[in-house]
Amino acid sequence: MTGKGLPDPFHVAVIMDGNGRWAKKRFLPRLLGHRAGIKALERTVAAAADMGITHLSVYAFSTENWTRPQKEVTGLMSIFRHSLRKKIEELRRENVRLRFAGAREGLPPDVLELMNESEELTAGNTGLTLVPCLNYGGRREILDAVNSLLRGKPKGSVTERELRDHLYISDLPDPDLIIRTSGEKRLSNFWIWQSAYSELYFTDTLWPDFGRKELEEALSNYKDRERRYGTIGNN
Ligand code: IPE
Ligand code: IPE
Ligand code: MG
């Protein structure tokens, strides 16, 4: 236990959805929705650290999101670039460890450099582990793992453990709770291997409106559940 009533480790994963609809409701360009989404992320990171969550992963850009209009993709990359530059030092001071999940190919070289830099700079931090999933797709992750296994020693079969060891962050605990905002009820290719026994929580709140109160609601809902993992549980 973390001392705050949560098991240690405790991994919360968030599908940060609804930025576009948030902006549309206000007659604003979609990119302003994404910018407001960064504010929501800042609130959520601070709240997660206070609440004793040890790992927070956030789905920021999927392998499918490249199919959006060029202007939106470029705008999102520029938001990632600026937010990272602005936040690295503060995250380091706040004892947050950054680890990125996703395919590294295809991202702008300077964004990639900032990702590597911030991972190195915060590698020794022992507080919240923040995992932005950028250019992430669950199927792609499994394929990348299989292909890297195939490049290794030739063998007839692969164990579950070996496959897990080849995922993007092999020592990341599986998500205990996956939250999706904006009312959509699907995983959209997020943590496809790791979500096998995750609890799912859906809220209509649009991502830019999310913060401490909404995270507390999700956790309090989680606490009422019984995870059975195929057993008969407490029955
Ligand atoms: C989530 O918000 C952010 C990303 C996918 C990058 P959306 O941009 O998907 O917002 P909606 O779903 O159009 O409202
Ligand atoms: C999932 O949201 C990806 C991220 C939040 C980064 P999408 O908005 O891309 O998902 P779909 O298209 O509604 O399934
Ligand atoms: Mg969406």
Side-chain angles (χ1 to χ4, degrees):
M1 295 286 244
T2 55
K4 292 176 185 166
L6 289 178
D8 184 4
F10 191 78
H11 176 181
V12 174
V14 187
I15 302 173
M16 308 184 289
D17 198 13
N19 295 350
R21 278 162 282 169
W22 183 92
K24 194 171 180 194
K25 264 183 25 186
R26 289 165 177 75
F27 306 100
L28 294 169
R30 290 178 61 87
L31 280 174
L32 287 190
H34 295 313
R35 271 207 210 127
I38 294 287
K39 295 276 169 229
L41 180 57
E42 290 171 8
R43 294 194 293 273
T44 306
V45 168
D50 291 347
M51 288 159 74
I53 289 165
T54 58
H55 298 76
L56 177 71
S57 61
V58 292
Y59 204 6
F61 193 86
S62 74
T63 45
E64 288 72 33
N65 287 149
W66 295 107
T67 59
R68 293 191 178 197
Q70 183 64 36
K71 197 171 141 227
E72 176 157 348
V73 172
T74 317
L76 277 165
M77 291 303 148
S78 134
I79 289 173
F80 297 147
R81 182 181 290 119
H82 289 114
S83 311
L84 261 177
R85 256 194 221 127
K86 206 172 119 204
K87 285 284 157 185
I88 291 182
E89 189 43 38
E90 187 183 324
L91 291 169
R92 190 190 65 78
R93 262 188 281 117
E94 285 173 357
N95 201 21
V96 173
R97 180 171 182 197
L98 267 165
R99 300 179 82 180
F100 289 87
R104 302 270 162 148
E105 308 81 55
L107 288 166
D110 64 327
V111 171
L112 203 55
E113 208 173 297
L114 279 164
M115 287 161 60
N116 290 331
E117 215 178 283
S118 55
E119 283 184 326
E120 279 166 31
L121 203 71
T122 62
N125 283 355
T126 53
L128 177 77
T129 297
L130 175 63
V131 182
C133 302
L134 243 177
N135 195 15
Y136 178 87
R139 288 184 173 178
R140 170 76 187 264
E141 177 177 37
I142 295 168
L143 284 176
D144 281 352
V146 169
N147 284 317
S148 103
L149 277 160
L150 287 174
R151 281 192 297 273
K153 261 201 250 123
K155 49 204 288 219
S157 64
V158 164
T159 63
E160 188 173 318
R161 179 60 203 263
E162 284 168 325
L163 199 133
R164 170 175 292 277
D165 284 346
H166 285 77
L167 297 176
Y168 292 135
I169 305 180
S170 58
D171 59 336
L172 185 70
D174 286 345
D176 295 286
L177 173 65
I178 300 181
I179 299 172
R180 184 171 189 147
T181 57
S182 87
E184 310 297 347
K185 294 176 183 67
R186 54 179 171 266
L187 289 176
S188 302
N189 207 8
F190 194 36
W191 291 142
I192 291 308
W193 173 277
Q194 297 88 336
S195 62
Y197 270 100
S198 301
E199 295 293 329
L200 308 180
Y201 177 85
F202 301 105
T203 169
D204 287 338
T205 302
L206 301 173
W207 176 248
D209 293 325
F210 197 88
R212 188 175 295 262
K213 184 174 127 289
E214 290 72 21
L215 184 61
E216 278 168 0
E217 273 166 18
L219 277 195
S220 117
N221 180 288
Y222 170 89
K223 282 178 182 163
D224 288 337
R225 301 185 187 191
E226 187 198 354
R227 300 180 73 182
R228 285 202 283 274
Y229 300 100
T231 71
I232 59 166
N234 296 329
N235 292 313

